[in-house]
Each structure stands twice: as C-alpha cells, then as structure tokens.
Amino acid sequence: MAAKAVVLHAAILAATFVGAPAVAQTNDPNLSQKQIDCLNRTTAAGADCEDGAKNGGGKSGAGNAAGGAVFLPALIVDLFPNPPARPTPAPTQPAPPKSPTSTAAPAPPPSGPVTPPTGLNLAAPPRAVSGEFVPDEVLVTVAGDAGAVQQIATTLGLQVRSQRQSRLLGTTLVRYGIPDGRPVGVVLAQLAADGRTQRREPNHIYSLQQAAGIVNYAFERIALDSKQASGENVRIAVIDTGIDDTNPALKGVIAGQFDAMPNVPIKKRDHGTSVDGLIAGVGALEGIAPGAKIYHARAFEGGKSSMDVILSALDWAAEQDVRIINMSFVGPKNDLLGTACRNARALGMVLVAAAGNNGPKAPYGYPAAFDGVIAVTATDAKDGLMPQANRGAYVFLSAPGVEMVAPSGTGSDVVTGTSFAAAIVSGAIANLIHAAPDRSADEIEKALAATAKDLGPKGRDNDFGYGLLDIKAAAAAKE
C-alpha cells in the first residue's frame, strides 16, 4: 500500500482511539524496581538504563511496536499485504481503542483519585500476557451484585469503567481500569485472590484480517451453481467494521444493525461491506448465499477492536437467534472469548472465523483456533495457498479468498485475505442450512471435513486443513 494510505490510516487511528498513558507494561516478577523505572523512563540518570528491556516474557503478538515508542502504522499492519515478521515485543504497549461504556448497566464514574492499596496478596505469580492488549484495563467476571463489583474495585485500587450482564458468559462482565500503572499481569494475579472473581483476562486487541488488494471465481472453486445458490431467510451475524448499507449490493440484505462502539465515529466501511456482500450480496456482485439475512454488529474501527467490544457484539448476535456467526478477525487467546464461543456453539450456532494473515510462523489466531470454531484459510483461483496465511493444526478448511471482487464502502474493490475466505464459507453454510434447516452445527462441521477436496499433503494438514470447501459434496453427505 502506498505511503499516503499508511499516513491516512495512522491519522484515522489517532483521531479515533484514545490511547492509554505511555507507561511500560511488564509482567516479569523478577525485574528490579530500577529495571521497571527504566522501562517507564522515570530514572533521572537515563544513561544507567539498559536498552532493550524485555516485556515480561510474553509471547510476541500481532501489533507490538518496534523500539521504545509506539508507531501508529504498526497498529494496522494486519490490514496490508505481505505483513512483515513480527518484531520482538517492545517495552511499551500500543495505544488501544477506546472501549465504549456499556449501556446495559452503566457504572458511575470514579468520585475522585483512586489510591492504590499496599500489601496486596498475589494468589498466583504475575501472568505473562501475550499478544496486544489495552495496557490499563482488565476484564473480570464477578459473582455478585453492583456492590460486590465496587468493593473489589475499592479493595484493589481499580476503577469500574463498565459492567453488564453477558448472555453468553452467563454472568456479570466488568471492565476495570488500572489508574496507577500496575502491569496487567500483576493485577490479574491480585484479582485471583478474591473469591468473587470468576475469570480474569486482559482486554485483548483483535485485528481485521484483510490483505490489500475477477469476476468472483468462488462459485466454481467450491462447486456451487450460482443459479441455484440460496441462503433464503437464514440468519447470519457478522462482527466487523461499519458498513455502507446504501451500497446496491446490500439492498434488502441487512436485517438488523448494532453498534458495539457508539462513542467512536465510523471512518471506514470497506471491510464490513465486503464481508456482508460476499456472503449475501445481490445484483451484479451476488454473494454466495443470496436471500440470507445479515445481522451486522459494528465492532471495529481502523482495523482494531478490543475484547470488551467484541463480547458485546457477540452477546447481541446471540440475541438475534442467528444460525451462523462470521468473525473475520484475529487476536490472542482469551478465555472469555473462548467461553463465549463455546456457549454460542452449545446454542446451535455455527461459528466461522478467519485463520489469519500473519504468515507461516505466526502464533495461532483466535477465535479461529478455539474448539468448535471453523478456521478458514484463503486460496486463489488455482487453489494455491495465500502466502501470508497463518498455518497450524487449527486450520480447518480452505476457501477462495485471493483477489476477489466484492462491494466496498466506495462501490467495489478487489479484496484478498482470510477474512473473505471466511465469508465464503459462512455463505456456503447458509446454503446447507437453507436446504436442510434441521442440520445441526456438529453435522455441518463433520460434512465439511469429510467432503473437502484434499490439497497439499494427504489428509488434514497445517496449511489447507481438511482441504478446499466442496459445498455440493457437503450437501449430499449423509448425516
């Protein structure tokens, strides 16, 4: 992508997201106070500090900046083709998106400065947090009422930034702020000592999986007759960017919309418009499942979102009685997301996610790598693997996702990425459900695996999974 595009995206991120204080986050309990001060650049004698202090032993994750400063273009690297190898984790964490305050159960603002308590017990060693995360927040599920939520905050010197009842988690989800700069890993260990807290996780950051970019060749490659394709009245949730619902390809397609980050202005609508169009577009840019009803949750801006926002979108999707949830994004492993996905699957929803565009040596991408989620990688018109696709045992299925024409916020565009391969699979599954509404999520998953066209090494492999989607064979498979 041209330099102007990078500058434009950086400007969008800078205008859209409010970053946390530039305080180094370390999860290494073995660091001395001087080393921590050096990470935070608070020592008077800067020359005494060693360069290259490490960030607590966490694994390298997408979006970590190189060097001692945060560079905005690094935050959107997953939106560009051929992303470079991930650098060693840097002392500071990237500036996060500003998570919207939930309207379900708004928490009162802090009445004054929060005084960090002393002598707090650690129920476990400080956690080494991998991946990109909001550096001054944690997400906690709490057993108890609003009083218990506030008592925990007071005891640990935290701020209640939002709280709501989560349908998919089955409990109260609280977003606590850390006002004094304590590392997230330390606060998670401190929270574990309070028996009222059930799950404690970082507020991880997730990235849309679009590689930059003819006639849609997907129909032919997945053995679907475009004249017979139909997802009529199948309800599909898409969690993505905002969309251009005036695009002719989406006329009559969008059945409902939800904004999970209402306090963040919408700047870009391309990615979400393309995903919705590939699934169920109409007219000249017909999707894989025409007639399907899209329930679209906007949860990304500038290519980024947080765990808190995504969970809000997932809860809304579950309330729409959808059969399929499309998640064309990737981030670190997070137990809250894993629980939400597991419970959505238990409710009978088919979960489809992008495997990731971060290269053969990238860590597993989530939510794709969770059990019960169909992880989709991208292939081209000749069934070749997209070079920048993630690899791993979690990859389940291959589908077209390289240089396809799709609707966008500017009309139409040529798109590439596992995001769009996931959309093709979601549309194909809608065809299966339209033809056999009683088919369960387990039955659909087994049919896709059993009938996929084997690519690469014989059998399931880390590059192509079970192979290329064959929707005709899957529809004919015996249950």
Side-chain angles (χ1 to χ4, degrees):
M1 174 143 325
K4 286 185 178 180
V6 174
V7 173
L8 175 59
H9 281 281
I12 290 171
L13 279 177
T16 303
F17 296 141
V18 177
V23 177
Q25 293 290 307
T26 176
N27 302 291
D28 190 347
N30 299 316
L31 290 181
S32 67
Q33 184 60 48
K34 178 179 178 181
Q35 288 172 311
I36 294 175
D37 289 341
C38 286
L39 282 173
N40 290 324
R41 296 295 188 265
T42 58
T43 57
D48 294 337
C49 291
E50 298 179 1
D51 290 334
K54 294 182 179 180
N55 181 14
K59 295 180 181 179
S60 175
N64 287 330
V70 176
F71 295 96
L72 284 175
L75 298 182
I76 55 174
V77 67
D78 286 337
L79 300 184
F80 294 86
N82 302 319
R86 292 289 183 258
T88 301
T92 58
Q93 291 295 334
K98 182 179 180 181
S99 300
T101 301
S102 170
T103 57
S111 57
V114 176
T115 303
T118 58
L120 292 173
N121 293 325
L122 293 178
R127 283 178 55 178
V129 182
S130 63
E132 186 181 347
F133 56 93
V134 181
D136 67 338
E137 291 183 355
V138 291
L139 298 179
V140 183
T141 54
V142 174
D145 57 14
V149 170
Q150 187 57 54
Q151 287 173 7
I152 293 170
T154 301
T155 301
L156 294 180
L158 304 175
Q159 294 174 334
V160 180
R161 293 185 177 170
S162 70
Q163 58 181 298
R164 64 182 180 83
Q165 185 67 26
S166 169
R167 177 181 179 182
L168 289 176
L169 298 178
T171 187
T172 299
L173 176 66
V174 185
R175 180 165 57 97
Y176 285 114
I178 309 170
D180 61 343
R182 273 173 291 168
V184 164
V186 170
V187 174
L188 293 174
Q190 292 168 342
L191 281 162
D194 192 311
R196 293 169 294 186
T197 68
Q198 300 164 316
R199 292 187 175 89
R200 301 150 295 274
E201 291 290 333
N203 194 4
H204 275 123
I205 303 298
Y206 290 74
S207 305
L208 292 171
Q209 294 301 287
Q210 173 179 352
I214 242 187
V215 172
N216 190 341
Y217 59 88
F219 286 97
E220 177 187 358
R221 300 317 307 152
I222 68 172
L224 177 63
D225 186 341
S226 61
K227 295 180 181 179
Q228 297 180 1
S230 177
E232 186 175 1
N233 295 324
V234 177
R235 300 161 73 96
I236 305 172
V238 174
I239 299 174
D240 216 286
T241 67
I243 58 171
D244 176 12
D245 52 12
T246 67
N247 191 304
L250 298 186
K251 184 176 181 180
V253 172
I254 308 301
Q257 294 192 59
F258 171 69
D259 193 343
M261 46 200 315
N263 298 325
V264 180
I266 298 177
K267 300 290 186 180
K268 300 293 288 184
R269 304 173 187 267
D270 296 330
H271 194 278
T273 303
S274 294
V275 168
D276 286 2
L278 287 170
I279 294 174
V282 296
L285 296 176
E286 186 177 54
I288 295 296
K293 299 300 181 185
I294 301 291
Y295 290 80
H296 190 97
R298 181 250 181 164
F300 284 81
E301 191 57 55
K304 295 291 181 178
S305 186
S306 68
M307 186 75 279
D308 178 48
V309 173
I310 291 170
L311 287 171
S312 176
L314 277 168
D315 276 325
W316 176 81
E319 293 168 358
Q320 309 314 305
D321 192 29
V322 298
R323 292 293 306 273
I324 304 165
I325 299 180
N326 186 91
M327 299 177 286
S328 290
F329 53 85
V330 157
K333 185 177 182 180
N334 186 294
D335 184 58
L336 295 173
L337 180 59
T339 300
C341 288
R342 183 168 59 251
N343 290 341
R345 179 62 181 262
L347 290 173
M349 302 173 208
V350 182
L351 307 178
V352 181
N357 301 338
N358 299 315
K361 296 182 180 180
Y364 281 15
Y366 292 87
F370 286 124
D371 289 341
V373 179
I374 296 174
V376 184
T377 193
T379 51
D380 59 25
K382 297 182 179 180
D383 300 339
L385 187 67
M386 185 180 76
Q388 60 266 51
N390 285 33
R391 318 293 164 87
Y394 72 101
V395 176
F396 186 87
L397 201 63
S398 304
V402 178
E403 295 185 348
M404 295 190 299
V405 173
S408 73
T410 57
S412 63
D413 202 357
V414 178
V415 298
T416 291
T418 56
S419 277
F420 309 113
I424 296 299
V425 171
S426 291
I429 292 171
N431 278 264
L432 294 179
I433 293 174
H434 171 69
D438 294 334
R439 222 172 191 185
S440 70
D442 286 345
E443 290 167 346
I444 289 170
E445 183 177 296
K446 290 177 182 177
L448 294 175
T451 61
K453 177 184 177 183
D454 196 15
L455 300 175
K458 186 176 181 179
R460 186 176 185 178
D461 62 76
N462 290 348
D463 291 352
F464 298 97
Y466 285 103
L468 182 66
L469 170 66
D470 186 331
I471 198 64
K472 183 177 180 180
K478 293 182 180 180
E479 298 178 1

